[in-house]
Amino acid sequence: MSLARFKDAQAKPLLVSDAQNPRRTFRALEDMGLAFSRWRLPMALAMLDIRNRYRGSVLGPMWLTLSTVITFVALGLLYSTLFKMELHDYLPFLVVSMILWNVLSQVVSEATAALTAAEGIIRQMPLPYTVHVLRCLIRNAVVAAHSLPLILVVFWLFDTVPGLGALMALPGLVLFCLNAFAAVMFLGMLCARFRDIGPIVATVMQLAFFISPVIWKPELLGPQQYLLVLNPFYDLMEVVRGPLLGAPPSWPIWAAAMLFTAMNCAMSFVFFVRFRSRIAFWV
Amino acid sequence: MPHILAERLSIAFPLYHVGARSLKKRLLSATPLRLRTDDSNRVVVAALNELTFSIQSGERVALVGRNGAGKSTLLRTLAGVFEPVAGRLEIAGSIGSLIDPAAGMDLNATGRENILLSGLFRGLDDKACAVMAEEVGAFSGLGEFLDVPVRSYSAGMQVRLSFAMATVNQPDVLLMDEWFSAGDADFMARADKRLEEMVQQAEILVLASHNMRAVRAWCTRAIRLEGGRIVEDGPVEQVIGKL
């Protein structure tokens, strides 16, 4: 039997780690590059995660879609009466908002366990840490994709199919994904080191849900509406939601979303560069 | 040429998630050997302390020492799991580790899926993964069970699968922790034969073991670790003869 056929592709011909000259930035970039070039690994892991999560369930991830539908019908009826809004105006808004918010809060809550959950792998084999970040992102993206058709259905039902302007949601989506990547990396590391961060994040997200215009429309704030631009959750949601609802966000919102993305990415990158080599000791 | 070069290599684990304060009090009252507090006042286990050694191509090295001497930590560091906290480590050649054969295994996935997954963990492409699946399937002798979730395997079958997966590649530098193959006598004979083949074809072997028979049979040089330091380094008989 020929054993020599499989050379580990990950085994580099020369591995040098020198604590005096750690080349942290280079190794962080190498880590990310390697993880992206081997995207099939995080993809396979994410698919297994989803399959395991819904193992034996008949509807599987469609349960999420179903529960979202039920929430929409109930909330839509209730709030449109409560806030005295036309269902025709309100429901498409609610559907897009809730789906975006669900994705956002799900990513953040899974980010807190992105690295600690991979402890068994991290402590046993050398892999780029970014693989675990991508695994979490892909898993969430696939789950989110199950709810997206709902948006189309609602647009069709209420006859509010947006025009070509909706394409502006794509750059918004890119910003959204960049932030998700940065957040998973940062929170994943932070939560591996400080185990109290997880519950704190959950509390913050709960609060953020109420102070961000997810189920209430920003217009309700009246003259104070401009203050919302300071809420990064609002900015990031609005750059995707606005174009889809045929109300392109104003430039301060775009600027704020981009600024926040840049800050988020920079912070995560600096943190990753500085502490990447400590992750194996933290998990 | 494959080689391993370590200069004043140190690994220290900060103990993050333990009651560090009460531990600290105890540390103050005793004179600890491995536990100490670092600059930022954390309790740290000095797992490896300034190891300096070089291993050249062709050498078969055994790491011996009591439990907790740092053998496994050293293997993991050589494998690239831990990065040295101080000192320098240089390894030339592809590294293969038989440290935890079940690492990364998904119990809910089938045997075949796990083989493909382990191929991806190694960075193989689709074609190589498929070839590997064939080979691992044949060697493990699992037959129809290859398409059944690993969860439903018997302990022996799981060992067969993980052994076959772990030993399918031939590295230049082979890192091995002591582990035991179960399974029936027929499989054990095949497993031993394959291990021997791998060991012989590897340019460098580093084996952490308590089993002195295996050490004598496979190794030419032994490094004895004690409390995270090298206390003896030399030919096998010289080092372990005294034990």
Side-chain angles (χ1 to χ4, degrees):
Chain A
M1 201 167 298
S2 65
L3 283 169
R5 256 190 276 172
F6 304 104
K7 288 276 181 194
D8 282 15
Q10 71 186 55
K12 282 158 278 173
L14 183 67
L15 183 142
V16 180
S17 43
D18 189 344
Q20 298 289 266
N21 172 26
R23 296 187 301 159
R24 290 200 180 105
T25 312
F26 169 77
R27 304 198 60 168
L29 288 171
E30 187 188 47
D31 186 297
M32 290 191 205
L34 228 81
F36 277 104
S37 69
R38 291 173 53 188
W39 57 271
R40 282 160 55 254
L41 173 61
M43 178 79 112
L45 289 169
M47 288 313 199
L48 274 178
D49 283 344
I50 292 175
R51 221 181 59 189
N52 290 343
R53 193 182 292 174
Y54 297 104
R55 198 159 52 97
S57 150
V58 179
L59 288 185
M62 294 309 281
W63 270 115
L64 279 174
T65 322
L66 196 66
S67 68
T68 326
V69 170
I70 296 169
T71 318
F72 287 151
V73 174
L75 276 188
L77 288 175
L78 176 67
Y79 284 108
S80 63
T81 324
L82 219 59
F83 296 139
K84 303 197 173 36
M85 279 180 294
E86 277 289 310
L87 208 56
H88 177 273
D89 285 339
Y90 183 57
L91 204 65
F93 167 84
L94 183 73
V95 168
V96 178
S97 295
M98 282 293 278
I99 288 177
L100 279 178
W101 181 263
N102 282 346
V103 175
L104 198 148
S105 73
Q106 191 68 22
V107 168
V108 170
S109 86
E110 287 187 21
T112 59
L115 290 177
T116 44
E119 178 189 354
I121 297 174
I122 290 177
R123 289 181 81 102
Q124 297 300 343
M125 52 178 123
L127 266 189
Y129 295 110
T130 314
V131 163
H132 310 297
V133 175
L134 289 181
R135 173 187 190 171
C136 179
L137 284 179
I138 296 174
R139 187 173 61 216
N140 276 289
V142 172
V143 169
H146 284 85
S147 307
L148 290 183
L150 266 187
I151 296 184
L152 289 179
V153 170
V154 171
F155 282 166
W156 176 74
L157 274 181
F158 288 87
D159 200 20
T160 49
V161 180
L164 278 179
L167 287 179
M168 277 308 281
L170 289 179
L173 211 54
V174 170
L175 288 185
F176 201 84
C177 292
L178 277 176
N179 275 289
F181 180 76
V184 172
M185 184 167 265
F186 182 70
L187 285 176
M189 290 178 74
L190 205 62
C191 294
R193 172 66 186 84
F194 301 103
R195 301 296 164 106
D196 297 308
I197 302 289
I200 295 176
V201 168
T203 316
V204 169
M205 290 308 286
Q206 183 91 47
L207 190 67
F209 173 73
F210 289 113
I211 63 168
S212 308
V214 181
I215 53 172
W216 48 275
K217 285 193 155 191
E219 292 90 69
L220 289 176
L221 271 184
Q224 274 85 46
Q225 198 189 330
Y226 69 93
L227 282 176
L228 272 180
V229 99
L230 297 177
N231 178 349
F233 293 111
Y234 169 69
D235 298 324
L236 283 175
M237 277 177 53
E238 195 56 30
V239 291
V240 183
R241 180 173 65 186
L244 284 180
L245 295 174
S250 58
W251 68 264
I253 292 179
W254 274 106
M258 281 191 252
L259 186 71
F260 182 70
T261 309
M263 275 163 49
N264 194 2
C265 290
M267 181 181 67
S268 291
F269 185 67
V270 168
F271 202 71
F272 186 59
V273 167
R274 177 64 188 80
F275 295 109
R276 193 190 55 85
S277 61
R278 308 297 304 160
I279 294 176
F281 298 108
W282 285 350
V283 293
Chain B
M1 286 291 267
H3 66 262
I4 301 176
L5 206 70
E7 283 163 32
R8 302 170 67 86
L9 174 71
S10 296
I11 295 278
F13 290 93
L15 291 180
Y16 290 114
H17 310 298
V18 293
R21 195 162 293 168
S22 58
L23 197 57
K24 241 175 249 173
K25 264 190 231 147
R26 245 185 293 166
L27 284 185
L28 290 175
S29 56
T31 37
L33 297 165
R34 308 279 296 279
L35 296 175
R36 55 184 172 78
T37 51
D38 70 357
D39 306 337
S40 37
N41 226 10
R42 290 178 306 204
V43 178
V44 171
V45 185
L48 297 179
N49 225 327
E50 306 214 333
L51 305 189
T52 301
F53 58 86
S54 80
I55 301 175
Q56 301 305 323
S57 178
E59 284 197 282
R60 305 270 173 269
V61 182
L63 301 176
V64 295
R66 276 181 299 187
N67 287 332
K71 303 187 297 289
S72 293
T73 308
L74 180 53
L75 275 190
R76 292 209 165 91
T77 309
L78 293 179
V81 171
F82 298 134
E83 281 185 26
V85 173
R88 186 171 184 281
L89 174 68
E90 181 184 312
I91 300 180
S94 66
I95 305 165
S97 52
L98 303 182
I99 296 178
D100 179 0
M105 180 126 45
D106 187 331
L107 292 182
N108 291 315
T110 67
R112 194 181 304 278
E113 286 165 341
N114 268 301
I115 300 171
L116 295 178
L117 196 61
S118 88
L120 288 176
F121 272 125
R122 290 162 191 204
L124 301 179
D125 58 34
D126 280 333
K127 214 191 268 171
C129 276
V131 178
M132 181 177 148
E134 279 307 306
E135 191 154 322
V136 171
F139 185 81
S140 62
L142 285 170
E144 56 188 355
F145 279 95
L146 218 49
D147 294 306
V148 167
V150 174
R151 185 175 286 283
S152 57
Y153 284 18
S154 69
M157 285 160 75
Q158 280 193 26
V159 171
R160 280 172 176 227
L161 180 67
S162 50
F163 181 90
M165 282 186 339
T167 56
V168 76
N169 62 324
Q170 176 62 53
D172 298 335
V173 179
L174 178 60
L175 309 172
M176 247 170 98
D177 209 342
E178 183 173 58
W179 45 287
F180 309 93
S181 49
D184 44 51
D186 166 56
F187 185 74
M188 269 213 308
R190 277 195 296 154
D192 285 347
K193 192 164 155 275
R194 172 168 270 198
L195 266 189
E196 229 170 278
E197 246 174 62
M198 260 182 104
V199 166
Q200 274 159 15
Q201 283 177 29
E203 305 268 342
I204 290 178
L205 167 74
V206 181
L207 169 75
S209 182
H210 290 286
N211 180 351
M212 292 308 152
R213 231 182 39 206
V215 168
R216 284 202 175 88
W218 282 348
C219 301
T220 52
R221 171 182 165 191
I223 294 178
R224 192 147 69 89
L225 292 170
E226 206 171 273
R229 293 171 191 277
I230 295 181
V231 287
E232 235 179 325
D233 182 354
V236 167
E237 276 315 312
Q238 185 192 321
V239 175
I240 68 171
K242 288 176 243 166
L243 290 181

PDB file of all heavy atoms in Angstrom, chain A residues 6 61 262 283:
ATOM      1  N   PHE A   6      -0.017  10.921   0.083  1.00  0.00           N
ATOM      2  CA  PHE A   6      -0.628  12.098   0.698  1.00  0.00           C
ATOM      3  C   PHE A   6       0.366  12.887   1.513  1.00  0.00           C
ATOM      4  O   PHE A   6       0.732  12.507   2.606  1.00  0.00           O
ATOM      5  CB  PHE A   6      -1.782  11.682   1.591  1.00  0.00           C
ATOM      6  CG  PHE A   6      -2.789  10.876   0.859  1.00  0.00           C
ATOM      7  CD1 PHE A   6      -2.854   9.518   1.039  1.00  0.00           C
ATOM      8  CD2 PHE A   6      -3.622  11.471  -0.058  1.00  0.00           C
ATOM      9  CE1 PHE A   6      -3.761   8.761   0.345  1.00  0.00           C
ATOM     10  CE2 PHE A   6      -4.537  10.719  -0.762  1.00  0.00           C
ATOM     11  CZ  PHE A   6      -4.607   9.357  -0.557  1.00  0.00           C
ATOM     12  N   PRO A  61     -34.009  23.452   8.912  1.00  0.00           N
ATOM     13  CA  PRO A  61     -33.859  24.899   9.042  1.00  0.00           C
ATOM     14  C   PRO A  61     -35.116  25.657   8.620  1.00  0.00           C
ATOM     15  O   PRO A  61     -35.259  26.838   8.922  1.00  0.00           O
ATOM     16  CB  PRO A  61     -32.707  25.234   8.099  1.00  0.00           C
ATOM     17  CG  PRO A  61     -32.148  23.956   7.627  1.00  0.00           C
ATOM     18  CD  PRO A  61     -33.070  22.853   7.974  1.00  0.00           C
ATOM     19  N   ALA A 262     -15.072  50.318   9.049  1.00  0.00           N
ATOM     20  CA  ALA A 262     -13.621  50.491   9.076  1.00  0.00           C
ATOM     21  C   ALA A 262     -13.103  50.349  10.498  1.00  0.00           C
ATOM     22  O   ALA A 262     -12.098  49.661  10.738  1.00  0.00           O
ATOM     23  CB  ALA A 262     -13.244  51.857   8.511  1.00  0.00           C
ATOM     24  N   VAL A 283      -8.541  28.891  24.728  1.00  0.00           N
ATOM     25  CA  VAL A 283      -9.775  28.092  24.573  1.00  0.00           C
ATOM     26  C   VAL A 283      -9.834  26.963  25.596  1.00  0.00           C
ATOM     27  O   VAL A 283      -8.841  26.521  26.093  1.00  0.00           O
ATOM     28  CB  VAL A 283      -9.918  27.522  23.151  1.00  0.00           C
ATOM     29  CG1 VAL A 283     -10.144  28.631  22.172  1.00  0.00           C
ATOM     30  CG2 VAL A 283      -8.718  26.698  22.779  1.00  0.00           C
TER      31      VAL A 283
END
